[in-house]
Each structure stands twice: as structure tokens, then as C-alpha cells.
Amino acid sequence: MPAYRPEEIEKKWQAHWKEQQTFKADNASAKPKYYVLDMFPYPSGAGLHVGHPLGYIASDIVTRYKRLQGFNVLHPMGFDSFGLPAEQYAIQTGQHPEKTTRENIARYIEQLSALGFSYDWSREVRTSDPSYYKWTQWIFLKLFNSWYNLDTNRAEPIKTLMDKFADNGSQGINAAGDPEERHEFTAGQWGMMNEKQKLAAVHPYRLAYQQDTYVNWCAGLGTVLSNDEVKDGLSERGGFPVERRLMPQWNLRITAYADRLLQGLDTIDWPEPIKEMQRNWIGKSIGAEVTFPVLSDDSAAISGEETTAAGPVIKVYTTRVDTIYGATFLVLAPEHELVAQLTTPEQQEAITEYIAATKRRSERDRMADTKTVSGAFTGAYAQNPVSGQPVPIWIADYVLAGYGTGAVMAVPSGDQRDWVFATHFNLPILQISDAQQGLDQQADPTKEGRYINSDLINGLGYADATEKLIAFLEERGLGRGKVNYRLRDAIFGRQRYWGEPIPIYYKDGTAYGVAEADLPLVLPEIDEYKPTETGEPPLGRAKDWKYKGQYDYELSTMPGWAGSSWYYLRYMDPTNEARFVGEEAEQYWGNVDLYMGGAEHATGHLLYARFWYLFLKDLGLVNGNEPFQKLINQGMILGRSNFVYRINGTNKFVTLGKKDQYETTALHADVNFVDNDVLDIEAFKKWRDEYATAEFILEDNGTYVCGVEIEKMSKSKYNVVSPDTLISRYGADALRLYEMFLGPLEQFKPWNTNGITGVGSFLKKFWRLFHPEDGALAVTDEPATPAELKALHKAIRKVQEDIEKFSFNTSVSTFMIAVNELTALSCHKRAILEPLVVLVSPYAPHLAEELWAELGNQPGSISSASYPEFREEYLVEDSVNYPVAINGKVREQFQFAATATAADIEAAVLASDFLARFGEGKAAKKVIVVPGRMVNVVV
């Protein structure tokens, strides 16, 4: 038999698995179920680099392990195939994004298959396939035709709301959403409304609704961007300017589920940092909504004279209503609807300039920037509803229109950001508690002490003061106690082409849902993939694209997270044409038992998917309480960049060891022609024309040594390592083992290609237990020795413990130790090697399949084998070696039976010539025996 050749073995077994559909899961089985899910990949043109498979390898190990334990395992794969990159490429090249997406997916499947993942490819889904997004549109229509009843704490069909309107009008309706967006009417008035009026009255209650919303508008891309897609006021893709703009947008009322999303976090096994990020993002707070009347007489306000409030009011949400006497100014978001009305002519120019500057900053930038102090005075004043004092009204970009009411009452003595603002603009800072200290240096938010300078609550503590103030405000209609959430409704529309069409059409300006029987609403063909000349989204270019030939469709498409919010359900029953998932399939698989993916999705995909699942549960379409029971976030594999050093003003490059002798510029070199930090000079010179005539100052040994830096793996840094290259050189099993061996799964780890050779050597050593000296199969049926059984069962116990704890790196170490021990014992026995092959198979499945078949088992059947059973008795020692010391200094080793007592050991030591040889003629005063550890003779 020839030597271990992974390039032959791996292709052979990948073809076998594909042909036999080895990993196909059944939707009904007497076995217990286990559902392992990888986060949906977006198929980029660059394909996979070695950092991408880390989580996939880990989940595949668990999948294969669970199969060996007797589980019916669902392990699917598909593609989140709508997205902005494909659309931008289409705009640049004119090539349909479907074509590039299809080609990219083919590349991904090729790479994933080469790594030997045990996916059930019969369940593959793609979000851009009309047969898939038909059901994404169907779920949207369910959202559109539902409202959230706070009395029942669940979503209900719009019809139940309309029935309530018919019986009692709008009175007594307790629905999620903003009451100020809705109109009051009686049952009689409802009955007299026409269809259009009724739909207008219903619309603000819908879970999918259209509303003027502040968005990140990128003119260069012609679309709205999420906060994640904006950095430093520019689009992450393309670097185009982004501004905040008020636009009609489709929204999903995720806020209705805020409390349930919070409560559900206590029931799932997720990393605590992820759960905390979601808690903070939802941001539940208990406080009060306070009304500040705007004063109409500015001169009176400025002079501090008694005034009467009239005109508009500013509503503020605060968690510290107890500090209201210290509210010395108000701050509005620059986008606040009252800014234009409040701004005086004298302040118009300053306000206009400030608003223009704010539009160029994303919400994320504004929230993150705590150092810059900026703002503008509107010239208007409001009245403190408790003290009656006038307070100036400012605007500042640290207040966001989409959070709370878009206005804050600034209490500089108790809030540091307000203190910095007040100090910068010379605004009053009023002490309101006898416990506050150092207000000339910073704010003091203490809740201790008693209130001062606070009239109504002077002398009271925090709890009593809060209760008294809320009662006072409620009696006068100036405020109320309120629970608030930081979470905002999710903007759902995107002004793009390559996404799911929103199944809405317009009749007389009113939005209607497309009939379910008419789904899917398929993307039409268009001539270009950019917005129209009049600024409409790309779908505005579609010719004769109308519902029933006469009604205009919605021109926005869904965001990227739409299709990924429910894909795990479609995997359960991907070919069902009658239902998004069959009832029996959904009941059998339930929720996802293990979800593997990146922590960057904490407040995006993971939150939206939970929201959609809760909504589907309200409709009785799913049975669980949460979609993903256990979540693991794999860390990132960092790139190992290499640098060459060009002498400034020349085309000469100096090696690392001599670069300090020159003035140089460090340039990235492609790591694919660097071996152990030594540059392949000829490959480098061929890389780019400018380097063809380069000269090199080398080390004394004639090599060019590159510099090294650990940073994110990126094409721009030329530190991307393709798995294809490593698989062709070392094999997929070696790559799988090496990625696990790099360190704990959840941690960030630097990549170093040089290390994979050690794993490759281990696999060859493992092969030689079966094929000594790479010869013929030499496995015997001789009984195993105690030492061999001990080596095997140590490994069985440790590897099982490691997989259960997702500690895969230590499993690889255990395999290496076991193989070294068995090699030293010259073990070639079936009783040891057959269970060892099963043990290794989740990690190195190709090699395991080959050896399993060579041992006489049915080819390709290792997945249905049983996981080796750990036997404790094989680890029990018959004898124990004891170090024996004189006055604490070890002199010799004695061996005793494992069952020997301390008295037996003491007698044996004293009966030996130990004292005669090492005791210098002295008698033993005492013999100390530490059972199982050592003996110390005191002389």
C-alpha cells in the first residue's frame, strides 16, 4: 500500500458522500433529533479564505459526533444571496447580479465540499430564488395584515382590530405603537368611512407600516443604508457621503416585542456578552414622560418674569424625573419636527448650518463621539412644568430623533454630557441634592441625600420624590409614568434592485398587499441597476410592471436581513410548495440546538430572527419559544502579514535584518510567496511590473527575510490564504485539524501557515499505525494489552469531554498524545485502532472513512457507527511508582501495588536497603506516606 495520499483519499470520499447522499436527514425518525446550524454565508466573489471555515469545521465536528451518538442530525447549508456587493458589481459591469451570484455560489459549494463538511445538500436554499422569497414575501404580508394587541400580548389579524372599530370605534384599543400617529373616532364614524379612509385609520396599527422616517441616505449608491453600513459619515462600500434624510419608509414594528425579546434572553444558552448587547440595544427603562410647554413671549422668558404657556409643547422622556428642578435647558435633536417652528430669525443661520453639518454624520458616529461639544441655540424657551421657570431650547447632535422623543431635559448637575455642554456654552448648573459634590469639576448623578432647591420635593429622598413628582405631573396633565425602550422599529425598505420585491401595490395612493395566490412577486428585468434619472429606485426602470396591469408596485426591495430571519425554518422542509415549512417537519425539528456564527450579528440578524419567530408563534405557525437554543461565537482568525522594505526613492528592497541602516517604507507582500518569512524573490518580481527590475539587499546567508505583523485577514493587506492551496498541499483533514489546533474556538487567533506541517506529520503517523512504514495493512486481531487499552480510553474520555465543552483544540492534542503512545507500543491491533478511527472521524473524516473501509467495514458507513464507550476500569493502575525521599530530597523510585496501604509501604521501605544507602548511618525518626504520591523518610 502506498503512503498516505490525502489528495486521492479525500476526492474519493467526497464523491462517495455526494453520490450516496450520506448526510441526508429524515424529517421523521425514532432517533432523537439534533439540529446544527451555521450562519448563512453571503457568497462574495473572493470565495473563502482560511478564516471563514473556522466555525464550519467546529459545527461539522459536533454534527459528526452527534451522529455517532445515535442522533438524527440536521446540518444544512444555503446562501444569503441578495446583497449590495452584487448590485454594485452589476452597476459597474452591466452584468445581471443573478449571474454573478450564481457563479459565486458555485465557487463556495466547491470550496465547502473540498473541506469535507457533512451538509445535507438536498436542503440547500438561496434567498434570491423566487421559490424561497415567495415565502419571505408571504411572511411580510402576514406582518402587514397584523397588529399587536397589548391586552392579549400577541399579534392578531387586522380583522380583529377592524371588528373592534366596528363595535366601539377607536376607544379602548390597547395597541403597540405611537398613539399620536392615530386618530380617534366612534363606531358610527367608522361605519361611515369609505374603504380608503378605513385603511388609512388601520395603517398606523399594522406591524408592517409605511411612515416618514429618518434614514441614512447615500446618493452615491442611490439607497438607504443601515447604521452598520456607514462609517465616519461615508458608505462602507464605495466611500460615498451619507446624510440623514426624512423619507417614506417601510418599517417593521419590532418594538411591540421588546419586552418578550428581553424575557426570552433568560431562557437560552447564549454567550453572556451577546445577551447583554441585546439587552442594551433593547434598552428597557422605567421613567416618566414630561411635557414642557413652549413659551410664546421670549422677552418675558429672558427676563425671568411670570409667563403663560401657549402653542406647541415638547415631550421629554426621562429616567430621572427627580432631577427636574435642575433642568436648566432643553436639547432637541437637529431633526426634531419643532426645530423650524421654534427657531427665531436671529438664530436661523446658525441653526441651518448646524443641521446641514449633522446630516453628514450617521447616528452611530453621533452616539460614539463623546469628546466633541457642539450645538446651536434656537432662540426659543420652554417652561419647566414643575418650577415654572423658563429654559432655553438648544439643538445638538448627541440627541437622536429616533430615540425617545428626540428631546432631553438637560440636568447638568446630574448628567456628565449635559455638564460638558453647559460648561462649554456657559449655561446654568444648579445643585439639586445635598449629596452632590464637586459640581465645578463634573456632574454628580447620585441618588443619595435629600433634595434641595427643588421646592415641591425639598427634603425628600429619591423614591419618595419620584413618586410625588409623577403624581403631580399626572394630576395636571403635564406628564405620566412610562416604561420606555431604546429599541426602534426596523427600517425595512431599501432603494435597491437586488432584493426581495415588497409585495405591496398602490390604489389611489393607498397601500394594499398583493394576494397570496399571486406570490412570488418576481424581480422584473431592467436595463440598468441604478436609480432612475428622477431619483426613483432601480425598480422604477421596469417597463409595464404593474399589479393586475394597472396598479403601481412598491419600488423598494427588502433589506438583506429579511431572508435570513427565517431560513433555518425553510431548511426543515425546503421543497414544500404549500407551506413555508410543513407542520410535521417544524414540530419534529423544533428549534436549532446549536447555532454557530459571528458575534457581529448580535443586534442585527440575531435580534430580527427572534422577532420574526415570536411573530410566527403568535400566528400559531411555530411551536417553540425561541429559534436558537444554544449559540456559540467563533473567534476570528487573524492574518499574518508580511512586509518588504523599499529604500526611499529607489527600487531597492532591504531585508529585515538590515533595514535600520536605511530610510525605508514598509510595503505589504503577498504571503503566498513567502515561506517561513523568507521571500521568494523571483515570484515577488513577477507579481507586479514595477517590481520586475527591483534589487535586493539580502541577509548574510543570501535570503530576504520579511517583516511580520498580525492584523485582520484582508485582500488589501495581501495576507489572505486560500484553503484551496493548503488542501492541495496538505489535505482537507490537515486543514480541519490545524484550524481547531490553533486555540480555543471563541478566541481570536493569528494564522501561520508554517504550523500546518506538524498536523500533516501527525496524520501520516496515524496512518502508519495501520500501515507500518507505509506498507500493506498490518492490523491484527491480537488482544490488546493493558497499556494499549489505557492509551485508547484516556483519549475516549478526554475527547468526549472536549467536544461537549466545544474545546476542540485540546482534542487535537489528545489525538497526538494517543498516537505517540500507541506508536511507542508498536500497536497495530484492531481492538484499539478501530475505535480510535471512529474517535478521530469527526475531525479527519476522509482519512477515517478510508481506514474504516480497510478494516473491513461497509464503505462510507463510519457515520452510522457507534461512538466508542469509555471504560473506567482500563485506567485503573495495578501498581504505582512512589518517589522515596530522605528529609525531602528524592533519592529513588519504589513500585507498590495500587492496593497497598500506608503501613505496607512504610514497612517495605524500612525493610529495604534504602536507609543503608542514603541514610548516612542515621535511624529513621518518621516515615510519611502520601498515598499514590510519595514517601518521605525523616532521619
Side-chain angles (χ1 to χ4, degrees), residues 477-538:
L478 292 170
R480 61 191 177 100
K482 185 181 180 182
V483 175
N484 205 36
Y485 297 90
R486 182 175 175 271
L487 181 68
R488 298 295 92 195
D489 283 342
I491 298 172
F492 197 66
R494 296 290 187 271
Q495 287 63 49
R496 301 175 185 164
Y497 171 75
W498 192 233
E500 301 93 334
I502 295 177
I504 291 291
Y505 68 94
Y506 296 92
K507 183 167 69 173
D508 298 328
T510 297
Y512 289 79
V514 169
E516 291 180 7
D518 293 327
L519 298 179
L521 173 57
V522 179
L523 273 173
E525 295 293 328
I526 57 176
D527 57 350
E528 287 186 271
Y529 303 102
K530 58 185 180 182
T532 68
E533 288 74 10
T534 56
E536 290 180 318

Side-chain angles (χ1 to χ4, degrees), residues 276-291:
E276 194 59 25
M277 286 173 72
Q278 289 208 355
R279 290 188 186 104
N280 291 337
W281 193 260
I282 295 166
K284 183 177 182 179
S285 60
I286 299 173
E289 187 176 78
V290 183
T291 299

Side-chain angles (χ1 to χ4, degrees), residues 830-844:
R830 179 184 299 274
I832 300 298
L833 299 187
E834 194 164 67
L836 185 63
V837 168
V838 178
L839 194 68
V840 170
S841 65
Y843 292 78

Side-chain angles (χ1 to χ4, degrees), residues 585-730:
E586 190 278 327
Q587 287 173 7
Y588 177 74
W589 291 112
N591 60 9
V592 174
D593 296 284
L594 173 64
Y595 199 13
M596 191 80 70
E600 67 272 15
H601 298 289
T603 56
H605 158 66
L606 288 170
L607 196 60
Y608 297 140
R610 294 180 62 221
F611 158 45
W612 277 42
Y613 190 83
L614 291 174
F615 169 69
L616 293 171
K617 180 177 177 62
D618 287 350
L619 269 55
L621 298 172
V622 294
N623 291 283
N625 294 315
E626 286 283 338
F628 316 121
Q629 186 54 40
K630 183 172 183 63
L631 173 72
I632 293 180
N633 300 130
Q634 79 274 12
M636 183 184 294
I637 289 182
L638 300 172
R640 192 174 191 274
S641 299
N642 283 116
F643 294 88
V644 292
Y645 302 95
R646 184 166 61 192
I647 300 172
N648 292 345
T650 74
N651 200 23
K652 282 187 178 181
F653 292 84
V654 60
T655 186
L656 176 67
K658 299 180 180 180
K659 77 177 183 67
D660 292 340
Q661 301 171 27
Y662 304 88
E663 289 188 6
T664 63
T665 299
L667 302 172
H668 281 93
D670 193 321
V671 296
N672 291 293
F673 33 80
V674 177
D675 185 13
N676 230 358
D677 300 329
V678 175
L679 181 69
D680 182 336
I681 292 174
E682 291 306 313
F684 179 79
K685 291 171 75 172
K686 293 175 183 176
W687 181 32
R688 291 182 175 174
D689 292 342
E690 63 185 291
Y691 299 150
T693 59
E695 298 176 45
F696 296 85
I697 299 174
L698 307 175
E699 301 284 346
D700 292 341
N701 64 2
T703 63
Y704 186 97
V705 178
C706 297
V708 176
E709 186 175 325
I710 303 302
E711 51 190 350
K712 184 177 179 179
M713 199 170 281
S714 163
K715 286 190 296 182
S716 65
K717 302 179 190 304
Y718 304 104
N719 62 0
V720 170
V721 179
S722 169
D724 306 9
T725 304
L726 298 178
I727 289 171
S728 66
R729 187 180 303 174
Y730 302 101

Side-chain angles (χ1 to χ4, degrees), residues 361 364-373 397-398 417:
R361 306 186 74 202
R364 176 165 292 185
D365 291 340
R366 288 161 60 178
M367 292 166 65
D369 185 4
T370 58
K371 296 180 180 178
T372 305
V373 184
D397 65 3
Y398 75 85
R417 198 154 195 177

Side-chain angles (χ1 to χ4, degrees), residues 250-266:
W250 281 95
N251 296 265
L252 297 189
R253 206 179 297 280
I254 188 175
T255 50
Y257 289 85
D259 210 49
R260 288 167 65 183
L261 289 168
L262 271 178
Q263 293 171 17
L265 291 171
D266 296 330

Side-chain angles (χ1 to χ4, degrees), residues 179 316 735 869 896:
V316 168
L735 180 57
E869 180 185 357
F896 296 103

